[in-house]
Amino acid sequence: MKINKIYRLFTLACLMFFGICNVTMAQTKGINVKATVVDEQGNPINGVTVFSPNGNKASSDANGQFQISLLNDESVVIEKKGYESELINMSDLTGNITLMKSPFLASEDDEIKMGVATKDRRDIVGAVSSINTRDRLTYDNTQWVRDYINGLTLGVRGSDNIRGIGDAIFVIDGVIGRDPNILNMEEVEQITVLKDANSVALYGSQGRNGVIVINTKRGKINRKEINVNIRSGISTPRALPNYLSSAAYMTLFNEARNNDGLDDFFAPSLIQEFRTSSNSYKYPDVDLYSSEYVQPFINSTSVISEFSGGNDKNQYYVNVGWNSQDAWVNINDDFNAGANRFNVRGNIDFKINDWITSSLDGIAIVSTSKSSRADLLSEGTTFKPNSYSPLIPIDLIDTSDPTVAGQLEAARKFNGFLLGSTQQFGTDAPIALAIAGGYRNTVFRSTQFNNAINFDLNRVTKGLSAKTYVSFDFYDSYNLSIENQFKTYAPGWEGDSINNFGIFGEDLKDQTENVSTNGFVSRFGLYGLVNYETTFAKDHSLNTTLLGYYNSQKTNDVIQTDVDAHLGFQLAYDFKKKLFFDFSGTYVNSLKLAEGNRGGLSPTLGVAYILSEEPFLKNSNFINYLKLKASGGIIKSDQGIDGYYLYNANYSEGNNFTWADTNANRRQNISQGENLNIDFEERIDLNIGFESYLMNSLWLEFNYFKSEIDKQLTFLDAAYPSYYDTFRPYNNFNNDEYTGFEIGMNYNKTINDFSLGIGANVLYSQTKALKRSELNEFDYQNRVGRELSSIFGLVDQGFYAEADFDTDGNLNAGLPVPNFGNVQPGDIKYQDQNGDSIIDNDDRIAIGQSSSPWTYGVNLNLKYKSFNLFILGTGQTGSEGNKLNNSFNNYYSVNGNAKYSEVVLGRWTPETANTATFPRLSSQNNSNNFQTSSFWLYDNAYFQINRAQLTYEFDDNLSNKLGMEDLSINLQGTNLLEIAKNKDIRQLRIGSAPLTRAFTLGVRASF
């Protein structure tokens, strides 16, 4: 049914868009114009593309000649990669047209849009990496921005952590702080990562952790385009939790009680019934992660269309998209669970007069996620398999008793069943709630608007320009729900028949859809800049920018509005376009600091030298391009200051106390002291690197970096006696160091019909705590000198053996005594680090680190004629995971009365003492066994194939017959393969939607 629905949608979308486009691309008659395109030496240029306003285009032949049909007074755009494009009036299309060759890395394709500034790649001094998507989306058709960043961008760990320092700030179309999750990749033109202090300086305090700049597509002069991308596919779980059956759980829970000296909880005869009886309703075995509840696969469909074009006065870009995905649990027949997302974007650029241009961008997004009121994936982590039968079959009910017959007659039935429960659960039975309790529909809405006005002030001073930018964003979310009441039934069994019920609740349908808010965020931002650029004495160029920036963000139920404001400045100088200097900085302001201390200067300096421009390398066949660069600076920031008014003393009213004369007063409590001298945190930064292009085929880039995050806010433990704790103020003290390197390469080679592209990037980032205020008795407990993500815990030494105890069950003399409760054979034994013969928190040492110092990505692109194969893989090494992490929902830390997962099958028993992988079972809270320790850590290294896509591009003749410019089909797989020692742990997600493997069929068409 789902597949047929998707097919119909697919067919309808194709017909609709193909029809629209054929009408749109109808030809208009005009005047045929001929011209010849030559280079600066007068040589004809072959393959130049010429675009007219009416949608026609032409290409120059081997003699540089072209012919195109134009209406009166129209202009054409003439383009060829590696040359400066030209906009030429119809009256000037006579004789030869000269195109100027662009310097290497200084063409229009090499423009790097850095948010508040745009530079050629050649001119950039700082550590900046960039991806243009226009030529990639056909063969790498992922739809989510974060997926595109991961593995393809140099210096980024995951999708937003630059060099391990922390989560970067996103800048989308010049707006700081927007969420990339609301974009689809079809909207995106370029992704740029700003990594060092010099490149992020103009972003002030918010740029502390680095900046990821995303620019969406815009219309281009004389380039009418209609693109349609249709995708449909299925996703399957990579792994699902494996919990024990009823009989296995009951047997092992009895064992756990016996280990604690308690009697069996379940009679062996009852367990045998659960194991062998054919009556699964009386002796249930329920697994909420089984295929009875979790679908084996889900469908997803997306349709995205783009419309762009314009002339020399106005350009437009429109993106309309719809995405739908099924829910993993869909057992309520009253509604279709799943998620839907609709987006529309309009980017408009227009010319007001000869010296003012402007742009207006508007974005609206609505997404819904509909589900039952019960979260069965979460309930499945605690719902025991033997609890009760969720459904009671009517045909097993004995109606010879009139009372039972009347109850059954009045009962609401569900496909021949009643909703099951027990006295313990009553109407809180999760499956009954999922089936009969109604639904919850979470709605998310996003509205974004921004306006830019550009002023060409050449009439005032040549090279002078200005820009204003205003943006407004509003995000809100709310829930729509129907909350039905329902009856549940606890059956009373006589043999294999039900002869009575316990009844809970009432059958009452909710007649009104309920609305509740999840909150909202509103953001207002503006900046203005003045730019001046000039060239003097022929070889010297100067580019200066002065920027004023303001941003405020208001969240509901939060009194204090977040405000960021700064003044930025940049002075860039180059000599002969080969020696570059960049002095950039900001004067930042923060409301998080006390008055008189709210301003700070962030200076940075960068220098770059294109060595390949020197005579001894200029004509080298091996080194085509080589740029050396270095930068350093200080970024002052309040991003790590978690809250406002931390400089004040905090007082609160306490309890009453009574004097001897019976008069009473109220205590005044203090939680922190005053420090009006709190200052900004500082990122102190150094970057040294090079960029090179070798043998006309290999791009190689390297950066060494060292950053310190100094003056972090903390309480000074070592500065005050313990009795003064509540009077301690915050101080700027902690200092962390980040050092490492990044190296990236891209190799491209074409031989006849075969093209090969190989890309790789490696990031090594090691962190260290340089300064802490700590008073630890033992040096191994200190954080100074250790990795910031160090995991501190106990060192396990296996399990206690029976020989470790005397006949009374006491530990043998000489063995350290754990301070976490009494232990038995089969409990985890820990190393005594300080030799005091007691195992306690003083024995915790650094046992691993949660952050990987090594991360890498590799990609392969093979093209033969019309076929293209793209593969992207990522990996990491050097970190450990912790099975006691809360995200595992006690799957590995099975303790006390918790539900049993498959991991307990490796439990310690006297018979398995030499092979056990899990401590003895206990029905009590065994604190000793579930301390953070080396026993629970696992190697988190992996390599995985994130995605692979096979694309076939139809030839131009077929595409043109169908009225299309380009047509391609593709088959993509995501998360296809993972190589990891602990793949079974890494791929398991407990209590929420599973990690998935997806297969998608897509069609792309351009008109």
Side-chain angles (χ1 to χ4, degrees):
M1 187 68 180
K2 292 178 180 177
I3 294 175
N4 289 335
K5 180 180 178 182
I6 292 169
Y7 176 76
R8 288 197 299 271
L9 286 170
F10 186 93
T11 304
L12 179 62
C14 287
L15 292 174
M16 179 179 67
F17 284 112
F18 294 171
I20 290 173
C21 296
N22 280 320
V23 172
T24 303
M25 298 303 293
Q27 300 297 309
T28 303
K29 292 183 178 180
I31 302 172
N32 289 328
V33 178
K34 296 181 180 180
T36 302
V37 185
V38 298
D39 61 18
E40 298 166 80
Q41 287 74 42
N43 301 314
I45 306 176
N46 182 30
V48 175
T49 307
V50 184
F51 299 94
S52 73
N54 59 16
N56 291 338
K57 70 176 184 178
S59 296
S60 63
D61 58 21
N63 297 318
Q65 296 178 347
F66 70 86
Q67 177 178 309
I68 194 167
S69 178
L70 297 175
L71 300 178
N72 292 330
D73 299 326
E74 287 187 334
S75 300
V76 298
V77 173
I78 300 179
E79 289 184 359
K80 182 176 175 63
K81 190 171 183 178
Y83 292 84
E84 300 291 335
S85 63
E86 295 286 346
L87 176 65
I88 301 177
N89 292 328
M90 179 178 175
S91 58
D92 295 327
L93 288 175
T94 57
N96 291 344
I97 300 170
T98 303
L99 287 188
M100 307 291 290
K101 193 170 182 62
S102 301
F104 184 68
L105 297 182
S107 69
E108 293 178 10
D109 291 336
D110 297 308
E111 282 188 349
I112 307 299
K113 298 176 181 178
M114 303 167 66
V116 296
T118 299
K119 292 187 176 183
D120 289 334
R121 186 185 296 270
R122 182 186 184 92
D123 298 342
I124 292 175
V125 170
V128 176
S129 299
S130 188
I131 300 175
N132 290 326
T133 65
R134 174 171 287 273
D135 297 330
R136 302 185 61 95
L137 286 176
T138 299
Y139 62 82
D140 183 15
N141 195 25
T142 184
Q143 288 302 294
W144 307 115
V145 173
R146 290 186 182 275
D147 291 343
Y148 220 83
I149 294 173
N150 184 22
L152 288 177
T153 49
L154 179 63
V156 181
R157 178 186 294 169
S159 64
D160 61 6
N161 189 313
I162 297 178
R163 294 178 169 179
I165 294 177
D167 295 341
I169 190 77
F170 281 87
V171 176
I172 301 176
D173 288 334
V175 182
I176 302 175
R178 278 184 171 168
D179 183 1
N181 295 325
I182 67 175
L183 294 172
N184 64 63
M185 272 305 301
E186 298 296 330
E187 298 175 77
V188 176
E189 181 178 58
Q190 188 181 78
I191 301 174
T192 301
V193 182
L194 314 180
K195 294 171 280 192
D196 65 325
N198 182 256
S199 63
V200 305
L202 290 181
Y203 291 99
S205 184
Q206 292 176 284
R208 190 198 78 162
N209 295 342
V211 178
I212 298 177
V213 181
I214 299 174
N215 288 281
T216 60
K217 297 176 182 177
R218 313 200 72 84
K220 295 186 177 181
I221 299 174
N222 292 5
R223 296 285 294 272
K224 287 186 178 180
E225 293 185 4
I226 299 178
N227 301 311
V228 181
N229 182 19
I230 304 172
R231 292 160 48 92
S232 185
I234 61 171
S235 298
T236 61
R238 296 169 71 183
L240 287 173
N242 185 10
Y243 289 101
L244 300 190
S245 66
S246 293
Y249 164 74
M250 297 161 76
T251 300
L252 293 183
F253 188 71
N254 279 350
E255 179 184 308
R257 286 178 58 85
N258 298 157
N259 289 340
D260 299 328
L262 303 173
D263 295 333
D264 286 350
F265 187 81
F266 301 105
S269 59
L270 178 63
I271 297 175
Q272 187 62 21
E273 291 286 1
F274 273 89
R275 182 175 290 115
T276 61
S277 176
S278 60
N279 189 344
S280 60
Y281 300 102
K282 185 177 182 180
Y283 305 105
D285 188 359
V286 180
D287 180 5
L288 297 186
Y289 282 95
S290 69
S291 58
E292 187 175 357
Y293 302 99
V294 177
Q295 300 192 87
F297 66 89
I298 61 172
N299 297 111
S300 62
T301 304
S302 68
V303 179
I304 299 173
S305 56
E306 300 175 286
F307 308 86
S308 64
N311 53 34
D312 58 337
K313 295 180 177 62
N314 307 286
Q315 302 91 47
Y316 64 90
Y317 171 81
V318 177
N319 181 292
V320 180
W322 170 70
N323 179 274
S324 175
Q325 181 172 290
D326 293 344
W328 284 104
V329 178
N330 189 8
I331 63 174
N332 189 322
D333 293 333
D334 293 335
F335 65 88
N336 293 317
N340 282 274
R341 178 185 184 275
F342 176 80
N343 74 276
V344 59
R345 167 186 291 276
N347 295 345
I348 302 173
D349 299 276
F350 53 95
K351 187 176 182 180
I352 297 175
N353 56 36
D354 290 341
W355 60 284
I356 301 177
T357 60
S358 184
S359 66
L360 288 171
D361 299 349
I363 305 97
I365 298 167
V366 177
S367 64
T368 63
S369 179
K370 199 171 188 179
S371 65
S372 70
R373 289 172 57 210
D375 186 348
L376 295 191
L377 293 176
S378 177
E379 295 286 350
T381 65
T382 57
F383 188 88
K384 296 191 174 71
N386 62 321
S387 295
Y388 63 86
S389 176
L391 297 172
I392 302 170
I394 294 174
D395 57 9
L396 293 184
I397 300 173
D398 182 358
T399 57
S400 59
D401 184 335
T403 301
V404 174
Q407 291 172 336
L408 181 60
E409 180 67 23
R412 186 182 174 196
K413 288 97 173 168
F414 297 87
N415 297 324
F417 293 90
L418 302 182
L419 300 177
S421 187
T422 65
Q423 181 72 40
Q424 174 190 358
F425 286 90
T427 57
D428 292 329
I431 300 172
L433 180 61
I435 294 174
Y439 64 82
R440 178 183 292 108
N441 188 12
T442 300
V443 181
F444 170 81
R445 299 182 301 184
S446 173
T447 305
Q448 300 177 349
F449 169 84
N450 40 274
N451 167 240
I453 304 177
N454 301 284
F455 302 90
D456 183 348
L457 302 178
N458 273 314
R459 62 182 63 192
V460 178
T461 298
K462 186 177 180 180
L464 185 66
S465 62
K467 180 178 183 178
T468 63
Y469 202 98
V470 178
S471 62
F472 176 77
D473 298 350
F474 185 81
Y475 312 89
D476 76 317
S477 176
Y478 59 92
N479 297 321
L480 301 173
S481 63
I482 289 291
E483 300 178 2
N484 297 329
Q485 297 181 44
F486 50 89
K487 286 183 179 179
T488 59
Y489 300 83
W493 293 90
E494 183 176 340
D496 283 335
S497 296
I498 300 169
N499 62 4
N500 64 85
F501 292 115
I503 303 177
F504 314 97
E506 294 290 338
D507 282 326
L508 184 63
K509 284 198 171 185
D510 193 349
Q511 301 300 312
T512 305
E513 193 171 50
N514 307 286
V515 181
S516 61
T517 182
N518 295 322
F520 71 86
V521 175
S522 62
R523 194 200 60 77
F524 172 74
L526 63 89
Y527 68 81
L529 64 82
V530 177
N531 182 262
Y532 175 69
E533 55 182 323
T534 185
T535 299
F536 56 95
K538 187 179 179 180
D539 295 328
H540 305 269
S541 297
L542 196 65
N543 191 321
T544 61
T545 299
L546 179 63
L547 167 75
Y549 169 82
Y550 173 85
N551 183 81
S552 68
Q553 181 169 298
K554 176 67 177 175
T555 305
N556 67 307
D557 297 330
V558 177
I559 297 175
Q560 178 65 49
T561 299
D562 284 329
V563 175
D564 290 280
H566 64 262
L567 292 174
F569 53 93
Q570 183 178 65
L571 176 63
Y573 164 82
D574 71 77
F575 173 69
K576 289 187 175 181
K577 292 296 178 182
K578 67 177 181 180
L579 179 61
F580 302 85
F581 292 92
D582 188 316
F583 177 66
S584 298
T586 54
Y587 186 81
V588 295
N589 179 77
S590 176
L591 297 180
K592 296 179 180 179
L593 304 176
E595 290 187 18
N597 205 37
R598 290 179 171 175
L601 180 64
S602 300
T604 70
L605 177 64
V607 59
Y609 178 39
I610 302 179
L611 192 61
S612 53
E613 288 295 307
E614 295 300 328
F616 64 91
L617 281 179
K618 193 170 183 63
N619 298 316
S620 171
N621 293 324
F622 180 75
I623 300 177
N624 310 115
Y625 176 79
L626 176 61
K627 178 166 73 174
L628 308 179
K629 56 186 180 180
S631 66
I634 299 174
I635 300 294
K636 293 199 172 185
S637 174
D638 65 357
Q639 296 299 292
I641 302 176
D642 189 18
Y644 292 83
Y645 310 110
L646 297 183
Y647 51 83
N648 280 339
N650 282 355
Y651 293 94
S652 61
E653 289 189 346
N655 298 326
N656 287 332
F657 65 92
T658 304
W659 298 94
D661 59 4
T662 71
N663 289 319
N665 288 95
R666 184 178 292 276
R667 296 178 185 274
Q668 292 296 309
N669 296 332
I670 183 171
S671 59
Q672 71 182 45
E674 180 183 79
N675 182 3
L676 300 180
N677 293 319
I678 289 175
D679 203 350
F680 291 94
E681 296 181 348
E682 292 182 352
R683 172 180 170 178
I684 306 167
D685 204 66
L686 173 67
N687 187 90
I688 301 173
F690 69 84
E691 299 171 357
S692 63
Y693 189 59
L694 309 176
M695 301 175 290
N696 292 310
S697 56
L698 176 63
W699 174 265
L700 190 63
E701 183 175 356
F702 173 86
N703 287 295
Y704 164 82
F705 60 87
K706 179 179 180 181
S707 299
E708 292 184 19
I709 307 297
D710 197 8
K711 297 184 178 180
Q712 297 176 62
L713 223 57
T714 187
F715 289 119
L716 301 183
D717 292 335
Y720 305 97
S722 59
Y723 59 79
Y724 198 78
D725 279 356
T726 58
F727 295 93
R728 292 179 305 170
Y730 277 103
N731 280 272
N732 297 101
F733 190 82
N734 287 357
N735 189 8
D736 298 329
E737 181 184 71
Y738 303 79
T739 57
F741 64 85
E742 57 193 27
I743 184 168
M745 60 82 66
N746 282 285
Y747 177 79
N748 293 281
K749 193 70 174 180
T750 299
I751 303 175
N752 298 324
D753 293 329
F754 179 77
S755 296
L756 168 67
I758 301 174
N761 60 75
V762 177
L763 171 65
Y764 173 76
S765 176
Q766 189 65 51
T767 65
K768 183 168 61 176
L770 293 182
K771 189 164 63 172
R772 292 291 188 273
S773 178
E774 48 190 359
L775 285 173
N776 294 309
E777 183 177 355
F778 307 102
D779 288 342
Y780 57 76
Q781 295 177 319
N782 290 333
R783 268 55 176 175
V784 170
R786 301 191 186 279
E787 222 278 339
L788 295 179
S789 69
S790 292
I791 303 171
F792 279 77
L794 304 170
V795 177
D796 83 279
Q797 296 185 303
F799 301 115
Y800 284 107
E802 293 178 308
D804 291 327
F805 298 84
D806 60 25
T807 55
D808 294 326
N810 297 316
L811 278 172
N812 293 333
L815 288 178
V817 178
N819 203 26
F820 307 115
N822 294 329
V823 292
Q824 298 181 23
D827 288 329
I828 300 176
K829 183 191 298 185
Y830 301 112
Q831 184 174 341
D832 180 13
Q833 300 292 341
N834 57 7
D836 64 356
S837 296
I838 298 174
I839 303 297
D840 56 17
N841 289 332
D842 287 341
D843 297 301
R844 298 183 186 275
I845 66 170
I847 56 176
Q849 65 182 67
S850 60
S851 180
S852 296
W854 292 94
T855 55
Y856 55 92
V858 294
N859 65 84
L860 173 68
N861 193 47
L862 299 175
K863 182 176 176 61
Y864 178 70
K865 294 186 176 179
S866 297
F867 288 94
N868 196 106
L869 175 64
F870 174 78
I871 301 173
L872 172 68
T874 61
Q876 67 177 31
T877 187
S879 68
E880 288 79 28
N882 186 355
K883 296 178 186 177
L884 301 186
N885 189 298
N886 289 336
S887 64
F888 286 123
N889 285 282
N890 296 324
Y891 189 81
Y892 295 101
S893 54
V894 181
N895 190 19
N897 196 32
K899 185 177 180 179
Y900 286 175
S901 68
E902 61 181 343
V903 300
V904 304
L905 297 177
R907 72 203 181 282
W908 185 97
T909 66
E911 295 74 26
T912 64
N914 295 325
T915 59
T917 57
F918 193 85
R920 72 175 179 93
L921 296 180
S922 174
S923 63
Q924 309 299 309
N925 184 21
N926 191 325
S927 178
N928 178 82
N929 289 343
F930 299 99
Q931 300 290 318
T932 299
S933 71
S934 55
F935 181 87
W936 298 108
L937 298 190
Y938 62 92
D939 186 353
N940 204 21
Y942 72 89
F943 172 76
Q944 68 176 3
I945 301 298
N946 294 51
R947 57 184 178 273
Q949 179 175 316
L950 179 64
T951 305
Y952 180 79
E953 298 182 75
F954 292 92
D955 63 38
D956 292 341
N957 291 331
L958 177 60
S959 298
N960 293 335
K961 287 180 181 179
L962 295 174
M964 305 177 196
E965 188 79 18
D966 297 294
L967 175 65
S968 65
I969 60 173
N970 60 78
L971 177 64
Q972 184 181 95
T974 59
N975 300 320
L976 294 177
L977 171 70
E978 179 167 315
I979 301 172
K981 179 180 179 181
N982 294 292
K983 180 175 67 173
D984 56 333
I985 303 174
R986 282 186 34 80
Q987 294 188 352
L988 196 59
R989 182 180 288 175
I990 313 292
S992 59
L995 298 174
T996 62
R997 180 175 291 110
F999 301 92
T1000 306
L1001 179 64
V1003 177
R1004 297 179 66 88
S1006 299
F1007 303 88

